[in-house]
Amino acid sequence: MNDTNSGALPLTRIMISLLPLLFGAPFLSFFLCAWNGAMAVILGGPVRGGVTNAVTAALLVALCALSGFGAAYGALMAAQIVLVSVVCSVCVLTRRPFSVGLISCAAAYGLVQLGGLKLQAEQAGLSIAENLLSGLNGPLRESFTAAIEQSGLDASLADRFFTAMEAAVRYSIPAALVIISLVGGYTVMWAVSHTLRETPVANGHSFSYIRPGLAAVLYGAVMAALLLLNNKGLRIVAVNGLIVFAFLLFADGMSLADWLLRRKVRRVGVRMLIHCGLLALGLLFPLLNVFLIYILAGLVDSFVPIRKRVTLSK
């Protein structure tokens, strides 16, 4: 990263980071831009980092306005990038633990995301849930209903299906926001930590050693207990809590698989391709439920330190 001292390269890196947005991958652009902004602050100082983030935000808003995404969307995404990159760099420079940086970056990402959802809903005159659910109606519902009728099935099946889908989406919005925020915060913190792994500010974090442990199991048990209570509000909290708990176990299971893989595959990029391939198989072949396997592996790992057992056995 010594190339941050050059003149044209930072602008070139910003432009490359924005390219995925044009190909329908806004999260990849967010990740690259936030990582670049955080590294600019860490290695170049607050002035150079501030200029990098300001140029990134201006170019992003202009690109979104010209490409049809809208200036408001660009401003929201720019706010996420700047806020997450600043929070990440501050946590790294002040030598905070990785967990603190993760939670801080996730909170920064989630707050901006929630603000954007609220603004969009208010402009449409709807609540956040109603605005998100509006995408399930209209042409999608009509085409699905037509397909049901053509197949000779009861047309009411489509109504029951969409009613159940709407209820599921409505109740799981908080969990989805938390999970998306955790993913957004983690990817940036991990990339910065990985880049700085051999420097004095390295925090020693490795994806292969994610293990929520018994504290997460206790949290899951509490959520499961709330689900048994005869209270609709508490049940909604419990459902969202259990979804987040399942995500934590999934991350633990994937981390354990990565730890086993790195014993044979040293390159990070190759291991990432293997993980993506396994997840793709899980989506293409539901009977090969890789997601459930990872969750179960994470649950077992919460009780039994598998990495330690395997290391000692060797």
Side-chain angles (χ1 to χ4, degrees):
M1 292 297 295
N2 293 331
D3 53 16
T4 53
N5 294 324
S6 63
L9 192 56
L11 181 59
T12 303
R13 189 183 296 112
I14 292 173
M15 296 301 295
I16 294 174
S17 299
L18 291 174
L19 279 179
L21 181 64
L22 297 177
F23 296 95
F27 184 82
L28 182 56
S29 280
F30 156 78
F31 162 68
L32 293 173
C33 290
W35 170 80
N36 184 47
M39 294 304 299
V41 175
I42 294 169
L43 298 180
V47 175
R48 191 175 189 86
V51 172
T52 299
N53 279 310
V55 172
T56 300
L59 290 176
L60 178 58
V61 173
L63 180 63
C64 288
L66 294 174
S67 59
F69 289 99
Y73 178 84
L76 174 67
M77 188 173 174
Q80 278 185 319
I81 290 171
V82 173
L83 188 57
V84 171
S85 65
V86 170
V87 169
C88 176
S89 59
V90 169
C91 290
V92 170
L93 291 174
T94 56
R95 308 298 300 273
R96 302 296 180 186
F98 182 88
S99 57
V100 174
L102 166 60
I103 294 174
S104 301
C105 289
Y109 184 96
L111 286 174
V112 177
Q113 188 74 18
L114 181 61
L117 292 175
K118 184 174 178 59
L119 180 61
Q120 293 174 1
E122 289 178 349
Q123 290 176 346
L126 302 170
S127 66
I128 292 177
E130 291 171 343
N131 189 48
L132 293 175
L133 289 170
S134 62
L136 295 177
N137 297 311
L140 178 61
R141 187 164 189 162
E142 292 174 0
S143 60
F144 186 81
T145 302
I148 291 293
E149 292 176 347
Q150 291 176 0
S151 64
L153 298 176
D154 187 359
S156 63
L157 179 63
D159 290 331
R160 292 198 298 270
F161 173 79
F162 274 94
T163 299
M165 183 180 292
E166 287 178 355
V169 172
R170 183 185 299 274
Y171 290 146
S172 61
I173 287 175
L177 181 60
V178 170
I179 292 173
I180 292 172
S181 300
L182 287 173
V183 172
Y186 181 84
T187 52
V188 177
M189 275 299 299
W190 175 86
V192 172
S193 299
H194 183 74
T195 306
L196 300 172
R197 65 188 182 279
E198 296 180 358
T199 67
V201 293
N203 54 33
H205 174 76
S206 172
F207 176 76
S208 299
Y209 286 89
I210 294 178
R211 185 170 178 263
L214 293 178
V217 176
L218 178 60
Y219 160 78
V222 172
M223 293 298 105
L226 291 179
L227 192 63
L228 300 176
L229 298 179
N230 188 22
N231 185 291
K232 183 178 180 180
L234 291 179
R235 284 185 174 179
I236 293 175
V237 172
V239 169
N240 283 273
L242 288 174
I243 293 174
V244 174
F245 175 58
F247 172 76
L248 294 177
L249 293 180
F250 171 78
D252 187 349
M254 180 178 282
S255 172
L256 178 60
D258 189 73
W259 183 84
L260 295 171
L261 274 174
R262 71 185 298 177
R263 299 166 69 86
K264 299 295 183 181
V265 183
R266 301 301 301 177
R267 292 184 176 275
V268 176
V270 177
R271 296 202 305 272
M272 291 177 65
L273 288 175
I274 293 174
H275 285 304
C276 291
L278 290 173
L279 295 179
L281 285 175
L283 292 174
L284 294 174
F285 304 99
L287 293 178
L288 182 62
N289 200 324
V290 179
F291 300 93
L292 181 58
I293 294 174
Y294 278 157
I295 290 173
L296 292 176
L299 182 61
V300 174
D301 190 47
S302 298
F303 291 96
V304 182
I306 297 177
R307 299 170 185 83
K308 185 177 180 180
R309 294 288 183 89
V310 173
T311 303
L312 291 177
S313 67
K314 295 294 183 180

